Amino acid sequence: SELLRLNCVDFSDLLLHCLTIFKKNKEVLEIYQNKFKYILVDEYQDINNIQQKWLEYLYKKNKNICCVGDDDQSIYSWRGANVSNLLSFEKNFDKSKIFRLEQNYRSSKNILKCASNLIKNNKDRYGKDLWSQKENGEKIIITGFWETKEEAMFVSDEIEKIISEKKSLNEIAILFRVAAHTRSFEDRFINLGLPYKIIGGLRFYERKEIKDIIAYLRLV
C-alpha cells in the first residue's frame, strides 16, 4: 500500500508487473516476442518462478532459447531461486537438448575428484563427470575454524613456513568468498609485518569511511 501511495515499485514488482502486462495485453507481449527472437539465459540455476514464467511468455512465438547453468551451483534458494526450473528444462521447452560441459580448464584433478565426490551426494541434479587434462596436483588440506581470527592465524603461519622455504610472496594468494572477511587477515599481517595486496578492492584501512573515523579519533 505504501508503494502504491508513492507510485513506486521495488525489484520484485518490476518482474511481477511485467508478467501481469504480458498476461493481460497480447499486443504488448507480441511486441516483445518479436523484439527478442533469440533468448540466451546465463546462470539459469539462479532464476525464480516469476522469471521462468516471464521467459516462457517471450519464448512461445519463436521458440529459440539457450540456457546455461549448473544445478550443482544453485545456492540462492533463500532469495527465491528454484533449481527445478533448470532440471525441468526439457519439459518446459519444446525439442530441447542438453549439452554437458564437463571439461575443466582451471583446476587440478585432485580438486575435481574432491568436489565430485562431495556433490554426488546431493539429490535432484542432472549429474556430470568432470575431467581435466591438468596434472593431479597437490593433495587438498581441509581445516575448520570457529572464527576468522583463528583462521587468519593459521594461514599466516602457513605463509611464514612457505617464505622460510625461499618462496616469493608473489606466488602466494588467499581466495575469499566474502570480501568482509579480509579484515582479520589484514590485522594479522600488519601485526606480523607481512606485506600484502588486496586485488579487486581496497585495504580495510584505506576505505574512505575507515580513514574518516581514524581521522576523527586522532583529532579527539
Side-chain angles (χ1 to χ4, degrees):
S1 59
E2 184 65 12
L3 287 170
L4 283 172
R5 187 182 72 80
L6 296 170
N7 195 29
C8 293
V9 293
D10 59 18
F11 182 73
S12 298
D13 288 336
L14 289 173
L15 295 173
L16 192 58
H17 291 331
C18 184
L19 197 61
T20 304
I21 291 168
F22 284 174
K23 278 184 178 179
K24 292 184 176 180
N25 195 318
K26 290 184 179 179
E27 291 181 359
V28 173
L29 173 60
E30 194 167 351
I31 289 170
Y32 284 95
Q33 285 176 334
N34 290 331
K35 187 182 285 287
F36 300 107
K37 293 180 181 177
Y38 301 92
I39 302 168
L40 173 62
V41 184
D42 195 15
E43 302 293 358
Y44 188 55
Q45 75 278 355
D46 292 335
I47 72 166
N48 58 39
N49 292 336
I50 292 176
Q51 289 167 321
Q52 175 65 28
K53 290 294 180 187
W54 183 74
L55 279 173
E56 289 173 11
Y57 270 105
L58 291 176
Y59 158 85
K60 279 178 183 176
K61 183 173 183 180
N62 297 293
K63 296 192 174 181
N64 296 311
I65 188 167
C66 174
C67 298
V68 182
D70 184 355
D71 47 339
D72 291 333
Q73 292 188 48
S74 179
I75 59 173
Y76 291 115
S77 59
W78 54 274
R79 69 179 190 192
N82 188 350
V83 71
S84 65
N85 290 316
L86 185 152
L87 297 173
S88 303
F89 183 79
E90 292 168 287
K91 295 178 183 177
N92 294 331
F93 302 107
D94 298 337
K95 299 178 181 178
S96 57
K97 293 181 181 179
I98 305 296
F99 299 93
R100 285 175 171 80
L101 306 177
E102 296 177 318
Q103 183 176 4
N104 186 292
Y105 300 90
R106 181 186 299 168
S107 303
S108 64
K109 289 178 182 176
N110 277 336
I111 290 174
L112 296 182
K113 286 175 186 175
C114 178
S116 295
N117 277 307
L118 181 64
I119 204 72
K120 73 180 182 182
N121 296 300
N122 278 8
K123 297 177 181 178
D124 301 324
R125 59 190 293 264
Y126 275 119
K128 52 187 172 292
D129 296 314
L130 298 178
W131 61 277
S132 173
Q133 290 182 332
K134 288 182 173 289
E135 300 295 324
N136 284 331
E138 296 180 20
K139 290 185 177 180
I140 297 167
I141 299 170
I142 299 174
T143 310
F145 304 98
W146 287 107
E147 57 181 9
T148 55
K149 287 183 179 179
E150 187 184 354
E151 184 182 9
M153 289 177 67
F154 173 84
V155 171
S156 63
D157 288 346
E158 290 297 308
I159 290 172
E160 289 188 315
K161 287 178 189 176
I162 295 170
I163 293 171
S164 68
E165 296 170 0
K166 307 298 182 184
K167 297 286 175 67
S168 170
L169 282 171
N170 289 331
E171 297 181 64
I172 303 168
I174 303 170
L175 304 181
F176 291 91
R177 181 71 181 176
V178 180
H181 290 170
T182 64
R183 168 74 192 281
S184 296
F185 286 82
E186 291 189 65
D187 285 346
R188 177 69 176 168
F189 295 157
I190 289 168
N191 288 336
L192 293 174
L194 269 176
Y196 66 92
K197 292 179 182 177
I198 301 290
I199 307 297
L202 290 173
R203 296 186 183 197
F204 181 79
Y205 294 101
E206 289 177 353
R207 296 173 189 172
K208 183 180 184 297
E209 62 274 21
I210 303 302
K211 289 169 79 174
D212 285 347
I213 290 169
I214 291 171
Y216 293 143
L217 290 172
R218 282 176 178 160
L219 183 62
V220 170

